[in-house]
Amino acid sequence: MDIATRVYNHRWKLDPIVRSLIDTDFYKLLMCQSVFTNHPHTQVTFSLINRATHIPLARLIDEGELREQLDHIRALSLSRGESTFLRGNMFYGKRQMFRPDFMEWFEGFRLPPYHLERVGDQYELTFEGTWSEVMLWEIPALAVLMELRSRAVLGRMKRFELQVLYARAMTRLWEKITRLQQIDTLRIADFGTRRRHSFLWQDWCVQAMMEGLGTRFTGTSNCLIAMRREVEAIGTNAHELPMVYAALAEDDDALASAPYQVLADWQAEHSGNLRIILPDTYGTAGFLDRAPDWLSDWTGIRIDSGDPAEGAETAIRWWQDRGQDPREKLIIFSDGLDLNRIEDLHARFAGRVKVSFGWGTLLTNDFRGLAPDDGLTPFSLVCKAAAANGRPTVKLSDNPNKAMGPAEEIVRYKRVFGVGDQAAQPVVV
Amino acid sequence: MDIATRVYNHRWKLDPIVRSLIDTDFYKLLMCQSVFTNHPHTQVTFSLINRATHIPLARLIDEGELREQLDHIRALSLSRGESTFLRGNMFYGKRQMFRPDFMEWFEGFRLPPYHLERVGDQYELTFEGTWSEVMLWEIPALAVLMELRSRAVLGRMKRFELQVLYARAMTRLWEKITRLQQIDTLRIADFGTRRRHSFLWQDWCVQAMMEGLGTRFTGTSNCLIAMRREVEAIGTNAHELPMVYAALAEDDDALASAPYQVLADWQAEHSGNLRIILPDTYGTAGFLDRAPDWLSDWTGIRIDSGDPAEGAETAIRWWQDRGQDPREKLIIFSDGLDLNRIEDLHARFAGRVKVSFGWGTLLTNDFRGLAPDDGLTPFSLVCKAAAANGRPTVKLSDNPNKAMGPAEEIVRYKRVFGVGDQAAQPVVV
């Protein structure tokens, strides 16, 4: 290494984890534009929730370091090249996906303040403000906490232990890729930004998938990596839309129609492969039963909770009931995927529907069993809309272990959406 | 990378494999000084022998590239820092191991010409000249051929395939080291220069052993790496000494005493842990039976062919017969070692004798099963003294598969040294 580089590197007080506003999931930007247009004045609260309470984040991660990382993110703004990419790139076959008014706003955007408090061995981290601004905290906040936890564990390891750690993780991923090479008609994307081991590791994983799977690797949800590695940016919409729309509903009737209003707004803006239904926010079965007919014309359905095979069967039956040919429809599996589940689901559904996979945490953070005391195993950390205009949000999903919201509101939502008993699934990541 | 570094790197026409005259086994330098002193006029021929005839070296390795690498080695001379190290470092507890007259000669030394010819799918590579000069070709010639073969295979692999290849090799070595950590009284050194996968890989292996085994890792045979990594340079003497001494013998009586003359000369120069007997050149059992009593005072015995446990039992019985306490004696195992053999031999002999291991090819080149068509599996390539002052050399060893020399000379040597039937052992590396 030359001396100048070394001196330059040592000048930094901080090794920033998130270095770009577009080091985030592409669908956040799509949803942000939608919110910017349709709900410019909605105030929301996003909260971080560590479902893995046995992992004492506040003991592992120094509060000062966490603040430095979050402050660094608040100092970020869109670079000229990033702006040019968002304005000029073709996303999902469409030029100018991001409108000039949105881009102008985004170019001047900084992330709003955060509220951080240590409570016992956990951190309470919340973000309050205008929806379109607060929502962009979700992914960087999660990525920072995940990577600071990684660094805490890595900091105790010796030099060659570290080399071998990454050697093992590389070997493990490559063995998965080698197995996936056997599936000719596979279509799979990286959805692993939020709970990645680290930025550099996600970047490595994406490149390994590119080399190993070629065109079967359809892209990454990470907008920055998509730009740098010249692959597709992937993603459509998420639970925060129906959750906030539902919290804003004035009565039970408005609540019952809120999830469909989300998709009506989406349809006004997007077509083709961006028209993907995420049906599980308040129970997939009831959502599909009561869905307006125009929704059956949409391109596909994303299965993100509950038993994935059951969810896919429900979707197929629904399309058939509505006179659609499931073979023309797309199912995207995106919940808790790993090699075996991908293989099983592909074997069961390929040909019956178009199948695609959004592979998340066990693509970009499968360090299970690789560090002392399993200290690098991934865990379930989320950052969710908790309130909108002062009212609490609710999520039911197809897995009671993923439900969120005040108990009395959950009862009300279950009644309005006709959700009965649900089968509980363990939440791994 | 900065531009200057990149431009500088791309200026090189060649990526030299051997970049230093001391990128060789330390014992070569010890023996060279002995030969320089005791046999300054002996003319020898060294020849490369690929025992793995199924590996078509001449098809894998371009002759032009091989010549460029060999020519580069001929251009090397001892650097000032290397000379200072050899003159000033303490080796085996002794300062000024290398005498000023030898160092002066070595500082002006260049390797002599080589003779290279393609014969079918193999190369015939020979070196002729003064013994002290020609002998220093052995290790770099082997290392160059091994690494050019590695490069030939690596050149067909893609970028992430390569990353994963090294990830797997690192993981494999680390798992061996983790197992070796269980052996509290282990003493083990790197003997893997000649058939290493590559220089950088050997350097990595040595560092991993240093971190993983601490003081149980006693050093490396590679003089350059010992200097750079500040560990002990390890090694004593090799078969070439008795083979050349024997070839120079004028009659059967002189032949019978030649192997002992080697050690008498060695004893005049070296003490302590450098007094290690290598007894197998013409059969261990007969060598020890007929050994003069002063040899039983030596520090230890190196077991380099035949069944190693049997060899060690023979050594122990011999010391007992000569009134020595085996628990005070050192046995160095150095033939075809890998994890299981190390564990077994240690379990069987620790406490009965002092045990030490010289781990060679399966430390620095265990790429078995890691490349397509097993293209990187190590193989048995040697470079041996074939003639001295115009007479052929002979090696019998304790394994008929390692025997060398003209058939009628082998018969004569077997008669002179009283060698009968021998158990054949497969030669892996």
Side-chain angles (χ1 to χ4, degrees):
Chain A
M1 188 185 295
D2 70 314
I3 299 170
T5 303
R6 209 194 137 131
V7 170
Y8 180 81
N9 287 344
H10 279 254
R11 261 189 347 200
W12 291 90
K13 291 203 185 70
L14 183 70
D15 179 7
I17 290 171
V18 174
R19 300 178 181 205
S20 158
L21 278 185
I22 67 167
D23 179 12
T24 191
D25 279 343
F26 175 68
Y27 77 169
K28 274 288 181 178
L29 302 182
L30 287 182
M31 290 189 290
C32 185
Q33 175 168 257
S34 177
V35 167
F36 172 82
T37 308
N38 298 314
H39 296 271
H41 306 300
T42 301
Q43 300 296 300
V44 298
T45 305
F46 270 62
S47 299
L48 191 95
I49 301 154
N50 177 12
R51 290 170 177 156
T53 48
H54 63 282
I55 295 185
L57 284 180
R59 271 199 277 148
L60 288 167
I61 299 169
D62 179 72
E63 186 176 328
E65 271 184 65
L66 176 53
R67 285 185 186 277
E68 281 177 352
Q69 290 290 345
L70 296 171
D71 291 343
H72 179 81
I73 296 172
R74 286 202 63 211
L76 294 172
S77 65
L78 205 63
S79 79
R80 187 169 165 170
E82 291 163 352
S83 174
T84 302
F85 171 71
L86 291 180
R87 284 175 181 271
N89 190 54
M90 187 184 283
F91 296 101
Y92 280 83
K94 180 178 168 184
R95 295 243 177 247
Q96 296 195 295
M97 175 70 78
F98 297 103
R99 291 190 312 274
D101 63 326
F102 173 74
M103 284 308 303
E104 208 165 303
W105 170 81
F106 195 32
E107 281 159 1
F109 172 75
R110 298 286 188 288
L111 278 160
Y114 59 88
H115 309 277
L116 175 65
E117 204 176 321
R118 181 176 174 154
V119 177
D121 286 341
Q122 299 296 335
Y123 286 119
E124 281 188 6
L125 180 57
T126 55
F127 310 94
E128 284 180 45
T130 304
W131 188 6
S132 59
E133 299 185 355
V134 165
M135 66 188 295
L136 293 178
W137 261 119
E138 177 182 352
I139 309 299
L142 291 170
V144 156
L145 275 154
M146 293 303 292
E147 188 160 347
L148 283 178
R149 183 266 202 156
S150 299
R151 288 185 184 179
V153 176
L154 296 169
R156 295 193 291 261
M157 295 174 74
K158 290 192 286 180
R159 181 160 162 235
F160 280 77
E161 254 192 305
L162 283 173
Q163 286 226 2
V164 171
L165 173 80
Y166 285 105
R168 284 180 171 152
M170 287 178 182
T171 301
R172 176 177 290 178
L173 176 58
W174 195 255
E175 272 158 17
K176 293 181 188 179
I177 290 173
T178 306
R179 285 263 299 275
L180 291 177
Q181 286 170 344
Q182 314 304 313
I183 310 178
D184 280 337
T185 58
L186 183 70
R187 294 182 67 73
I188 191 163
D190 158 37
F191 275 23
T193 299
R194 66 189 63 201
R195 282 185 291 272
R196 66 193 181 196
H197 169 78
S198 72
F199 173 76
L200 289 176
W201 178 248
Q202 182 183 17
D203 192 39
W204 192 90
C205 293
V206 166
Q207 292 174 77
M209 293 281 278
M210 287 168 66
E211 179 178 304
L213 295 176
T215 55
R216 284 175 288 188
F217 177 63
T218 55
T220 172
S221 65
N222 188 295
C223 198
L224 181 67
I225 295 176
M227 179 178 83
R228 292 214 183 134
R229 301 300 168 197
E230 301 190 359
V231 289
E232 294 297 321
I234 299 283
T236 62
N237 55 67
H239 297 106
E240 72 175 282
L241 294 179
M243 286 168 74
V244 173
Y245 275 55
L248 297 177
E250 293 295 334
D251 54 36
D252 286 359
D253 281 353
L255 175 60
S257 64
Y260 307 110
Q261 187 56 45
V262 167
L263 301 181
D265 287 353
W266 195 259
Q267 182 165 258
E269 195 161 7
H270 300 298
S271 56
N273 278 335
L274 284 174
R275 289 191 181 168
I276 301 293
I277 304 166
L278 179 64
D280 68 326
T281 315
Y282 304 116
T284 294
F287 175 90
L288 293 177
D289 279 350
R290 288 183 299 273
D293 248 359
W294 53 264
L295 258 185
S296 68
D297 285 330
W298 274 38
T299 306
I301 290 180
R302 179 156 75 93
I303 311 280
D304 199 47
S305 65
D307 178 85
E310 209 174 281
E313 297 289 1
T314 302
I316 290 170
R317 277 195 308 273
W318 178 68
W319 279 313
Q320 288 168 333
D321 290 347
R322 300 290 178 113
Q324 301 283 340
D325 182 354
R327 289 172 302 181
E328 299 298 315
K329 296 294 185 181
L330 176 64
I331 287 184
I332 301 173
F333 294 103
S334 62
D335 183 33
L337 293 180
D338 202 9
L339 182 64
N340 289 334
R341 186 172 277 192
I342 293 167
E343 289 175 333
D344 293 348
L345 290 170
H346 190 277
R348 179 158 168 182
F349 292 103
R352 297 175 60 200
V353 289
K354 296 177 185 171
V355 176
S356 179
F357 297 93
W359 194 7
T361 309
L362 294 177
L363 167 60
T364 61
N365 198 357
D366 191 359
F367 284 69
R368 291 174 295 181
L370 298 185
D373 303 322
D374 214 3
L376 288 175
T377 208
F379 61 101
S380 185
L381 189 70
V382 297
C383 183
K384 290 287 183 186
N389 287 352
R391 298 187 207 174
T393 64
V394 170
K395 183 184 174 189
L396 300 178
S397 100
D398 289 330
N399 180 358
N401 289 336
K402 283 187 163 183
M404 289 190 302
E408 68 280 10
E409 285 295 298
I410 290 182
V411 170
R412 175 179 163 236
Y413 275 64
K414 281 193 161 187
R415 173 175 52 73
V416 168
F417 291 105
V419 172
D421 288 343
Q422 296 174 302
Q425 309 274 338
V427 178
V428 180
V429 286
Chain B
M1 185 185 295
D2 71 314
I3 299 171
T5 305
R6 208 194 138 129
V7 169
Y8 180 80
N9 287 344
H10 279 255
R11 261 187 349 199
W12 291 88
K13 291 205 187 68
L14 184 69
D15 178 7
I17 290 171
V18 174
R19 300 176 181 206
S20 158
L21 277 185
I22 66 167
D23 178 11
T24 191
D25 279 343
F26 175 69
Y27 77 170
K28 273 289 179 177
L29 302 183
L30 288 180
M31 290 191 290
C32 185
Q33 176 169 255
S34 177
V35 167
F36 172 82
T37 308
N38 298 313
H39 294 274
H41 307 298
T42 302
Q43 300 296 299
V44 298
T45 304
F46 270 62
S47 299
L48 190 94
I49 301 154
N50 177 13
R51 289 169 177 158
T53 48
H54 63 284
I55 295 184
L57 284 179
R59 270 198 279 150
L60 288 166
I61 298 169
D62 178 74
E63 186 176 330
E65 271 183 66
L66 175 54
R67 286 186 185 277
E68 279 175 353
Q69 291 289 346
L70 297 171
D71 291 342
H72 179 81
I73 296 172
R74 288 203 62 211
L76 293 172
S77 65
L78 205 62
S79 80
R80 187 168 165 173
E82 290 162 354
S83 174
T84 302
F85 172 73
L86 291 180
R87 285 176 181 269
N89 190 55
M90 184 184 286
F91 297 101
Y92 280 83
K94 180 178 168 186
R95 295 239 177 251
Q96 296 194 293
M97 174 71 77
F98 297 103
R99 292 189 311 275
D101 63 327
F102 172 74
M103 283 309 302
E104 208 166 305
W105 170 81
F106 195 30
E107 282 159 357
F109 173 75
R110 299 286 188 287
L111 278 160
Y114 59 89
H115 309 277
L116 175 66
E117 204 176 321
R118 182 178 173 153
V119 178
D121 286 339
Q122 299 295 337
Y123 286 118
E124 280 189 8
L125 179 58
T126 55
F127 310 93
E128 283 182 44
T130 306
W131 188 7
S132 59
E133 299 185 353
V134 165
M135 65 187 299
L136 292 179
W137 260 120
E138 177 183 353
I139 309 298
L142 291 170
V144 156
L145 275 155
M146 292 303 289
E147 187 161 345
L148 283 178
R149 184 265 203 157
S150 298
R151 289 184 184 180
V153 176
L154 296 169
R156 293 192 292 262
M157 295 173 74
K158 289 191 288 180
R159 180 163 162 232
F160 281 75
E161 254 192 307
L162 284 172
Q163 286 227 2
V164 171
L165 173 80
Y166 285 105
R168 284 182 171 150
M170 286 177 182
T171 300
R172 176 177 289 177
L173 176 57
W174 196 255
E175 272 157 18
K176 292 182 189 178
I177 290 174
T178 306
R179 284 263 299 276
L180 291 176
Q181 287 171 342
Q182 314 305 312
I183 310 177
D184 280 338
T185 58
L186 184 70
R187 295 184 65 75
I188 190 163
D190 158 37
F191 275 23
T193 299
R194 66 189 63 202
R195 281 185 291 270
R196 66 192 181 197
H197 169 78
S198 73
F199 173 76
L200 289 176
W201 179 246
Q202 183 184 17
D203 191 39
W204 193 92
C205 294
V206 167
Q207 292 175 78
M209 294 280 279
M210 288 169 67
E211 179 178 306
L213 295 176
T215 55
R216 286 174 286 188
F217 177 63
T218 56
T220 172
S221 65
N222 187 294
C223 198
L224 181 66
I225 294 176
M227 178 178 83
R228 292 214 182 135
R229 302 299 167 197
E230 300 189 1
V231 290
E232 295 298 321
I234 299 283
T236 61
N237 55 65
H239 298 107
E240 73 175 280
L241 293 178
M243 286 169 72
V244 173
Y245 275 55
L248 297 176
E250 293 294 335
D251 54 36
D252 286 357
D253 282 350
L255 175 59
S257 64
Y260 308 110
Q261 187 54 47
V262 167
L263 300 180
D265 286 352
W266 195 258
Q267 181 165 260
E269 192 159 12
H270 299 297
S271 57
N273 278 334
L274 283 175
R275 289 192 181 167
I276 301 295
I277 304 165
L278 179 63
D280 68 326
T281 315
Y282 304 116
T284 294
F287 175 89
L288 293 177
D289 279 350
R290 289 183 297 273
D293 249 358
W294 53 264
L295 256 186
S296 68
D297 285 329
W298 273 38
T299 307
I301 290 180
R302 178 156 76 94
I303 309 281
D304 199 48
S305 63
D307 177 87
E310 209 174 281
E313 297 289 2
T314 303
I316 288 170
R317 277 195 307 273
W318 177 68
W319 278 314
Q320 288 168 333
D321 290 348
R322 301 291 177 112
Q324 302 281 341
D325 182 354
R327 289 171 303 181
E328 300 297 316
K329 296 294 186 182
L330 176 65
I331 287 185
I332 300 173
F333 295 103
S334 62
D335 182 33
L337 293 180
D338 202 10
L339 183 63
N340 289 333
R341 186 171 278 192
I342 293 168
E343 288 176 334
D344 292 349
L345 290 170
H346 189 276
R348 179 158 170 181
F349 292 103
R352 298 174 60 199
V353 290
K354 297 177 183 171
V355 176
S356 179
F357 297 93
W359 195 4
T361 308
L362 293 177
L363 167 60
T364 61
N365 198 356
D366 190 358
F367 284 70
R368 291 174 294 181
L370 297 185
D373 303 323
D374 214 4
L376 288 175
T377 209
F379 61 102
S380 186
L381 189 71
V382 297
C383 181
K384 290 285 181 189
N389 286 352
R391 298 187 206 172
T393 64
V394 170
K395 183 183 175 191
L396 300 178
S397 99
D398 288 330
N399 180 359
N401 290 336
K402 283 186 164 185
M404 290 188 301
E408 68 280 9
E409 284 295 300
I410 289 181
V411 170
R412 175 178 163 238
Y413 275 62
K414 281 190 161 190
R415 172 174 54 71
V416 170
F417 291 106
V419 172
D421 287 343
Q422 295 175 303
Q425 309 274 339
V427 178
V428 180
V429 286

